[in-house]
Amino acid sequence: KNEVEQSPQNLTAQEGEFITINCSYSVGISALHWLQQHPGGGIVSLFMLSSGKKKHGRLIATINIQEKHSSLHITASHPRDSAVYICAVRSGTSYDKVIFGPGTSLSVIP
Amino acid sequence: DGGITQSPKYLFRKEGQNVTLSCEQNLNHDAMYWYRQDPGQGLRLIYYSQIVNDFQKGDIAEGYSVSREKKESFPLTVTSAQKNPTAFYLCASTPFLGGGETDTQYFGPGTRLTVL
């Protein structure tokens, strides 16, 4: 069993739909990261959170430490949101202890 | 603009040859990392470095080597000992290894290596 799992693996949505990507993990963590990988391969950090909820524009990330679960929500989805979204957990304070999920591939159709 | 550059974007290598992937950052970050990404799998740590002239093995270091002679540069050599080198390689950096509350990891654009 992978220590970080994501669902769904692939997701296709119509423009404007509300999207949810889930991440569950089985290890103790100090922080959870949501990353966006563009079709060309470059990765951008979206959120880093250790509790509660964070919002940036149309993106919302939540985490439930007790349930070891996090969700990434995208409101009013747009074709430019098409990317792979990666959940990564950091155990301890250092970045050499980061476990990456397999990613969720999102395609938003006009 | 500050950031991380990796070159080349695409690289082809004949089996049995060593090849070096470049990673340069002008963010003045202390820590740098190399990851490998395979289809359907999460990124896996190959090597990381906290300071100049020092580096540590990650989870999958066999068949790879690195150097850190300058703060801004962390090249990765894929040797002929790496049995399955075809993959997407990503370089990243952070201000320091022990990430603080607001520290985030910055990634380069990646190099796609194909062994022919």
Side-chain angles (χ1 to χ4, degrees):
Chain A
K1 191 178 186 298
N2 295 330
E3 293 170 299
V4 180
E5 295 185 325
Q6 292 184 232
S7 63
Q9 184 177 355
N10 296 287
L11 180 58
T12 300
Q14 290 289 329
E15 183 173 357
E17 284 187 8
F18 181 84
I19 290 165
T20 296
I21 298 171
N22 296 298
C23 174
S24 58
Y25 53 92
S26 58
V27 296
I29 69 168
S30 61
L32 182 143
H33 302 256
W34 280 104
L35 310 170
Q36 180 190 55
Q37 185 168 30
H38 299 291
I43 291 178
V44 174
S45 180
L46 298 175
F47 293 104
M48 177 172 64
L49 63 165
S50 54
S51 64
K53 175 171 135 177
K54 286 190 176 180
K55 184 176 188 292
H56 181 69
R58 295 179 294 105
L59 302 178
I60 302 167
T62 64
I63 187 169
N64 185 316
I65 296 294
Q66 286 73 29
E67 294 185 4
K68 295 187 174 178
H69 181 269
S70 175
S71 293
L72 177 68
H73 306 284
I74 304 175
T75 62
S77 59
H78 190 275
R80 64 174 174 266
D81 296 326
S82 298
V84 174
Y85 292 84
I86 299 170
C87 171
V89 300
R90 181 152 55 108
S91 57
T93 57
S94 60
Y95 273 93
D96 61 313
K97 300 288 186 284
V98 177
I99 305 170
F100 294 83
T104 293
S105 179
L106 170 66
S107 179
V108 181
I109 301 170
Chain B
D1 285 358
I4 302 177
T5 57
Q6 290 185 243
S7 60
K9 189 169 179 64
Y10 299 95
L11 189 57
F12 297 88
R13 178 195 109 178
K14 289 183 179 179
E15 203 168 326
Q17 288 181 336
N18 291 358
V19 62
T20 298
L21 282 59
S22 167
C23 177
E24 304 277 331
Q25 54 99 358
N26 61 4
L27 300 165
N28 199 33
H29 284 176
D30 287 316
M32 297 185 74
Y33 315 78
W34 272 107
Y35 295 97
R36 171 183 171 134
Q37 186 178 36
D38 294 283
Q41 296 188 39
L43 276 67
R44 292 180 291 168
L45 183 63
I46 304 172
Y47 268 99
Y48 65 98
S49 169
Q50 302 181 63
I51 57 173
V52 175
N53 292 323
D54 187 55
F55 47 83
Q56 281 76 41
K57 293 182 179 180
D59 300 320
I60 54 165
E62 185 175 350
Y64 300 98
S65 66
V66 293
S67 64
R68 187 88 186 276
E69 297 177 2
K70 298 185 296 183
K71 186 176 184 178
E72 58 270 24
S73 179
F74 191 40
L76 173 74
T77 297
V78 184
T79 74
S80 56
Q82 170 49 235
K83 299 304 179 190
N84 186 20
T86 294
F88 188 61
Y89 292 87
L90 283 154
C91 179
S93 71
T94 54
F96 57 100
L97 183 64
E101 182 64 29
T102 58
D103 286 341
T104 189
Q105 215 170 15
Y106 292 79
F107 287 86
T111 291
R112 190 166 300 279
L113 173 64
T114 302
V115 174
L116 304 172

